[in-house]
Amino acid sequence: MLRKHVAPLAALLAAGALALSACGTTGSAQPSPSSSPTQQQETGSSGDVSLLSGTARSNKADEQAGDLAPDSAPREVKNKWVQLRASQAGELNPVVVNGAGFTLYRFDKDTANPSKSTCNGDCAKTWPPVTIAKGGKVFFSGIKKADIGAVTRDDGQLQLTVKGWPVYRFNKDAKPGDTNGQGVGGTWFGVRPDGQKAGDAAKPSTPATAPSSAPPADDAELGDQVTLFTGKDFDDFSGNNFATGITGPGCKDIRGTFLSAVPSGPVKLWAEPGCKGTSVVVDDDARDLTALGFPNGPKSVRFAG
């Protein structure tokens, strides 16, 4: 059964006095009139960073800052927000990408328990760490909130972690979807939403889009909000893709084709308008609704009430 775990952010860990380690290197649908874009409710925070379910765009983040800031922007602008999204990049599926669609990586010479980054100096120029300002926002979809954390680097910056592993970009990835860092030096791999290595090095995992096997006993147990995306993998940025928020109570029709979803709690998706036909209960982020039996997306959704 899909579950959205709600737990405090992983505790911030102070950087130790470990010696620096060398790193490996190499040379369109339209939204329903009753459905308007809706900011996701905050689903967790700490004194260091805030975690918000959904994407930067669905949360109306500043698109001139964070992952979308121009290269010339100062660090404090770039570090305002980071997006972590489960997606596909090249042959890596799933793998975590940032708000601009760039693949994120983990380093075998780091440690996850305790979290520790060993990529500094020239290494960090080749593999820029994914950093965030204290008080900055982390938007996440397709990743469990409890698996997102932060660690203090040797230079004092906060670096995001997935299941304890510090995450990085690769400076030879020139465009979204590139995976040129995969396997570099035998130590660098795309990071999966569960913190494991993406690709052939990864062990099989349960798909994030599996239907709920034990639906709520009655509709009163359902949630009251869902954000739907016209693209798979919570894509509301590329091409003509967009997101729309729908709130309860009761049954609401969905006009358009939406292929992924971030619910605020369990919701029941239906194949036909008016909450008719076949249905599936989802209570966690669904990367691909076609895999749940909705080739053209669900056509209605039931909330509590």
Side-chain angles (χ1 to χ4, degrees):
M1 176 176 179
L2 294 176
R3 295 289 183 192
K4 183 173 292 294
H5 299 286
V6 179
L9 174 68
L12 182 64
L13 299 173
L18 296 178
L20 300 184
S21 173
C23 65
T25 59
T26 64
S28 160
Q30 294 300 318
S32 164
S34 63
S35 308
S36 57
T38 303
Q39 182 170 336
Q40 286 287 306
Q41 294 182 353
E42 185 169 337
T43 56
S45 64
S46 76
D48 300 304
V49 297
S50 296
L51 300 179
L52 294 98
S53 177
T55 62
R57 177 163 284 187
S58 69
N59 280 284
K60 302 179 181 178
D62 181 358
E63 295 189 12
Q64 296 299 312
D67 292 339
L68 300 179
D71 291 339
S72 59
R75 177 185 294 175
E76 57 268 24
V77 173
K78 295 179 178 180
N79 283 1
K80 281 186 176 181
W81 62 263
V82 170
Q83 179 175 297
L84 302 176
R85 176 169 65 92
S87 185
Q88 178 174 356
E91 296 182 356
L92 304 183
N93 185 21
V95 70
V96 180
V97 302
N98 73 359
F102 283 91
T103 303
L104 301 184
Y105 299 89
R106 47 165 280 179
F107 184 31
D108 281 355
K109 294 183 180 181
D110 289 346
T111 58
N113 186 20
S115 296
K116 172 61 182 176
S117 170
T118 61
C119 179
N120 298 280
D122 288 341
C123 178
K125 295 177 182 177
T126 302
W127 302 90
V130 177
T131 56
I132 185 76
K134 287 188 177 181
K137 296 178 179 179
V138 180
F139 307 109
F140 65 99
S141 47
I143 305 169
K144 290 181 171 61
K145 173 176 172 267
D147 290 344
I148 301 171
V151 63
T152 301
R153 292 176 50 77
D154 288 354
D155 62 6
Q157 293 191 77
L158 278 181
Q159 182 174 0
L160 289 181
T161 63
V162 175
K163 201 68 174 181
W165 288 99
V167 293
Y168 306 80
R169 279 191 54 194
F170 183 44
N171 69 0
K172 290 185 172 63
D173 282 348
K175 63 183 184 302
D178 281 354
T179 57
N180 297 313
Q182 179 70 1
V184 168
T187 55
W188 290 93
F189 299 91
V191 62
R192 288 194 333 194
D194 60 2
Q196 298 296 317
K197 300 174 187 178
D200 292 339
K203 62 182 180 180
S205 63
T206 302
T209 50
S212 172
S213 58
D218 57 60
D219 290 347
E221 298 179 27
L222 295 174
D224 60 1
Q225 180 178 340
V226 64
T227 300
L228 298 167
F229 301 81
T230 55
K232 295 179 182 179
D233 295 333
F234 324 104
D235 183 359
D236 60 356
F237 184 77
S238 65
N240 294 321
N241 287 331
F242 63 90
T244 190
I246 303 179
T247 58
C251 179
K252 302 288 185 180
D253 285 347
I254 300 171
R255 300 189 185 122
T257 300
F258 295 91
L259 301 181
S260 54
V262 174
S264 63
V267 296
K268 188 179 291 185
L269 301 175
W270 296 79
E272 299 177 15
C275 293
K276 297 179 181 178
T278 58
S279 66
V280 169
V281 172
V282 296
D283 57 3
D284 206 352
D285 300 352
R287 292 177 55 208
D288 182 4
L289 293 177
T290 66
L292 301 186
F294 302 110
N296 297 309
K299 298 307 173 186
S300 57
V301 56
R302 180 170 290 281
F303 302 101

